[in-house]
Structures are given as C-alpha cells and as structure tokens.
Amino acid sequence: MLLEVCVDSAESAILAEKGGAKRIELCSVLELGGLTPSAGLLQEVKKHVRISVFCMIRCRSGDFFYNSYEISTMISDAQELSKHGADGFVFGFLDRNKALDTNSCELLIKSLSKDYPCTLHRAFDFIPIDSGTLRTVKQIGFSRILTTGGGPDVSSSFDELKILFIQSKEVGITILPGGGVNESNIATLKEIGFKEVHSSCSVYSYDGDYGTLFNNPLPNGKRKVVCLDKVETLCGKLNAN
C-alpha cells in the first residue's frame, strides 16, 4: 500500500519520505485543515525529496463555497505552483447547496498546462452521494477522492468506505481513505482492498509562548510536525503480509 502524508514544512516532508511515505500532500497551516502552500515552500521541498508532491489549493479556511474572486485566485495559484514542480493538485469546490461545483472544478483542471493528477479533497464528505457521484467526479477530471467515508473519521465509516471502494472499481477512480488513519485501523482498510491511504502522522511541537506584540497576544509555538516513528510504524503495517 502507498502512504500519502500531509505536511506544511520542508522538515516534515523530509521526515515523511525518510519514514517510507510515497507521496506528499503539501499545504500551509495544517492547523486550519491545510491551505495553499507558497511557491517558495514547494521549491524547498522539491530540493530535498524525490517522491511526488501534490499541492493543496485552498485559499482560505472555512467552508468550500468560493466566490469568483477566490476561484480566480486558486486557478492562478495552481498555475504558478505547476511552474515550480508540483506533481499534482488537491482541491474541491462546492456550491451553496453543498453540491459539487462541477464548473469551477473543471475550470481549474482545464487551466493547467498539462494533465496533472488531481485529488478531490474532503469537500467530498459534504456532498450527497448516489450511484452516479463517482462517475461525475471522474468526468470532471479528478483521479482520486480523499474521504473518511462521510463520517468524522475512517473508523466510523468502514461500511461506507467499502461501498465507495466497490463503486470506485466500477468507475475507475481511486478512493484515498484519510482522516484518522493509524496503525489501529490500517488492517481493516487493507482488508477492504484499498491500495493508498492518507495520514498526517503528526505530533504537536511546542516552541514556547512568545508573549505579546502591540498589546496583542502572539500565537504560541504549538504546531503540527511529522513524527518519523509514526510514519515508519504505519508503513510497516501497510507493507506487512
């Protein structure tokens, strides 16, 4: 099985590769669920890792409904990151009714200079699913879907994930389980038949309290970083017979 690890620093990307991950989802600000990384961060990561780097395209935190200015911003971001070595992209746009915004998603994919593999992120978990949903996602141009199965985490949605896996084989699109993937549930995901999983394999690093600036409290030094031991342990479980 392939492990994709989400990271927001070059340091974490290096540790993910060292631990056995085969793909990086590169973001900024993982504490907000992951936003678009800078071109500078992408360039630094590409200097130090050889595995594929997929870039998150998400211009702000919050919901997945975006106005035309935000869509335009994210299209520009994806085009810029494609010039600096991105191997693929991760994004998802919804409309006011929490349905997939097919036009905007297709617009971004068609704006790219070549056929990059694109992952529909966990915006998918908010949309109503029927027998034709996966086919629509593939027709837009996505090659995989990152999902918990619709629940708060994968462990609460094994039945739904199994149904999605069966449907995905019929349609020809990859389901990428993500959200709470760890060594305790990987055996069940393998048993269902998944070939890829997504995890942060992270711990919180605390660098101290920075006090105040102009009478405003500064954020403390708590941030997510990849834990090498977690990556190695999970990869060991993934590759065990």
Side-chain angles (χ1 to χ4, degrees):
M1 291 179 78
L2 179 151
L3 173 62
E4 174 185 273
V5 176
C6 53
V7 309
D8 62 3
S9 70
E11 174 190 13
S12 285
I14 292 166
L15 289 171
E17 182 180 53
K18 184 177 180 180
K22 298 303 182 185
R23 187 169 62 236
I24 295 294
E25 181 196 273
L26 186 63
C27 311
S28 64
V29 204
L30 277 175
E31 290 79 8
L32 294 179
L35 304 180
T36 306
S38 68
L41 176 57
L42 173 60
Q43 289 174 295
E44 189 65 22
V45 167
K46 294 291 286 188
K47 286 179 189 176
H48 298 287
V49 304
R50 296 184 178 182
I51 58 178
S52 296
V53 180
F54 282 24
C55 290
M56 173 67 74
I57 302 297
R58 185 176 175 224
C59 64
R60 58 162 173 78
S61 61
D63 60 40
F64 302 113
F65 173 76
Y66 301 102
N67 61 41
S68 60
Y69 308 111
E70 292 169 325
I71 296 293
S72 179
T73 296
M74 289 186 282
I75 288 174
S76 296
D77 284 340
Q79 291 173 336
E80 183 65 21
L81 290 166
S82 71
K83 299 174 185 176
H84 294 284
D87 298 299
F89 296 96
V90 183
F91 65 95
F93 311 143
L94 305 183
D95 64 23
R96 290 288 190 187
N97 298 314
K98 293 185 179 179
L100 195 61
D101 182 351
T102 56
N103 290 336
S104 295
C105 290
E106 193 171 304
L107 188 63
L108 189 151
I109 290 172
K110 288 184 175 180
S111 75
L112 299 171
S113 59
K114 63 179 183 180
D115 291 332
Y116 287 89
C118 291
T119 301
L120 173 58
H121 64 38
R122 288 189 54 196
F124 176 81
D125 290 331
F126 291 88
I127 66 177
I129 307 300
D130 59 35
S131 59
T133 302
L134 297 194
R135 196 170 302 280
T136 298
V137 172
K138 184 179 180 182
Q139 289 172 345
I140 291 169
F142 289 105
S143 55
R144 60 177 46 80
I145 300 168
L146 173 64
T147 178
T148 63
D153 54 48
V154 295
S155 292
S156 64
S157 307
F158 287 139
D159 290 342
E160 291 81 2
L161 283 168
K162 187 173 183 179
I163 292 169
L164 286 172
F165 177 76
I166 293 169
Q167 292 178 343
S168 72
K169 301 296 286 185
E170 297 171 353
V171 171
I173 193 168
T174 298
I175 298 296
L176 178 63
V181 171
N182 55 51
E183 59 182 293
S184 69
N185 52 37
I186 198 64
T188 302
L189 295 172
K190 287 177 69 173
E191 185 178 341
I192 292 172
F194 291 109
K195 303 301 182 185
E196 304 180 5
V197 293
H198 169 101
S199 177
S200 67
C201 293
S202 64
V203 294
Y204 277 102
S205 172
Y206 183 71
D207 298 328
D209 189 343
Y210 298 110
T212 60
L213 178 67
F214 304 127
N215 296 320
N216 293 313
L218 289 170
N220 63 36
K222 190 177 179 181
R223 61 191 179 92
K224 280 187 173 183
V225 295
V226 164
C227 173
L228 178 59
D229 286 346
K230 285 191 174 186
V231 180
E232 290 177 337
T233 298
L234 192 53
C235 284
K237 295 281 186 180
L238 291 174
N239 297 321
N241 294 325

